[in-house]
Amino acid sequence: MVAMRELSIPEKNVFLDKQSGKDFERPQYKKLVKKLKPDDLLYIKSIDRLGRNYGEILEQWRILTKEKGIDIVVLDMPLLDTRRGKDLMGTFLSDIVLQVLSFVAENERTNIRQRQAEGIAAAKARGVRFGRPPRPLPENYHSAYQRWKAGAITGTAAKECGMPLSSFRYRAEIYEKAKLL
């Protein structure tokens, strides 16, 4: 946003998605593409802000520049400015830089996901629990569980405890495992 403000781009012409750039199914990106007209100028902070999928970045770049007829300026990579170098050599250099940066963007996304998975696995190995902490069992859970386990009552045990049946069964499974230890 700071970079766009420095270019004096009106807020109404700034499109910002707050979700991953893994694909182009983003609401603000779709709105941007619909609004673009031939000879418009699109500023992008960096190529990885456009997307993080190598093939899709190249395809969207082609759609924007060839089909929509707009110019694109990637602020942190001056070589990716379609206003300059519209001759064969300039186009060739832009295409090479675009392909390299698109590859880097997708590779970084892959690395982020791998590091995230490694971090989650390490945290689980240290005993970190994810998700919402479980609610304490109701006071009458033990007696309802005993009657349910003995077959004296069925799913009404969950109602007695004020729990959904799936939660009652899930907690019963944990309860049984804890008794075995």
Side-chain angles (χ1 to χ4, degrees):
M1 287 300 292
V2 172
M4 298 301 137
R5 284 187 192 114
E6 287 174 1
L7 292 168
S8 300
I9 297 173
E11 293 271 332
K12 68 180 179 96
N13 291 339
V14 175
F15 295 83
L16 177 69
D17 277 305
K18 293 190 178 189
Q19 65 190 72
S20 170
K22 68 178 182 173
D23 59 34
F24 289 87
E25 295 301 315
R26 304 185 310 256
Q28 290 295 307
Y29 181 76
K30 287 180 173 183
K31 194 183 287 186
L32 164 74
V33 172
K34 282 182 184 175
K35 190 173 181 178
L36 290 171
K37 301 179 296 301
D39 299 322
D40 278 351
L41 178 60
L42 174 62
Y43 285 100
I44 301 170
K45 172 68 174 135
S46 63
I47 201 69
D48 65 341
R49 299 295 87 206
L50 177 62
R52 294 211 173 215
N53 179 305
Y54 176 78
E56 288 188 28
I57 291 172
L58 298 177
E59 177 63 15
Q60 289 301 312
W61 189 275
R62 185 193 64 72
I63 289 169
L64 294 171
T65 57
K66 304 288 189 261
E67 291 179 19
K68 289 277 188 181
I70 67 160
D71 281 312
I72 303 175
V73 175
V74 179
L75 298 174
D76 70 352
M77 182 51 62
L79 284 173
L80 287 177
D81 183 343
T82 60
R83 297 173 300 178
R84 287 188 254 139
K86 293 205 180 215
D87 62 341
L88 187 59
M89 181 58 81
T91 303
F92 173 71
L93 290 174
S94 289
D95 287 350
I96 289 174
V97 171
L98 177 63
Q99 288 191 19
V100 168
L101 292 178
S102 299
F103 168 79
V104 169
E106 181 168 345
N107 195 45
E108 179 60 19
R109 179 172 182 271
T110 303
N111 290 342
I112 288 169
R113 293 183 75 202
Q114 181 181 350
R115 287 190 298 265
Q116 179 186 30
E118 290 168 357
I120 290 170
K124 284 183 177 179
R126 289 191 314 269
V128 173
R129 285 187 44 106
F130 289 90
R132 186 172 41 188
R135 283 184 169 166
L137 288 174
E139 300 223 356
N140 64 340
Y141 183 82
H142 180 72
S143 64
Y145 167 78
Q146 295 298 335
R147 289 183 293 138
W148 174 75
K149 193 68 178 165
I153 57 175
T154 58
T156 58
K159 284 184 184 171
E160 274 183 35
C161 295
M163 302 172 75
L165 182 58
S166 59
S167 296
F168 183 87
R169 288 183 176 155
Y170 173 74
R171 297 299 288 267
E173 190 178 317
I174 294 170
Y175 197 71
E176 289 169 8
K177 286 179 185 174
K179 284 176 52 176
L180 294 174
L181 295 177

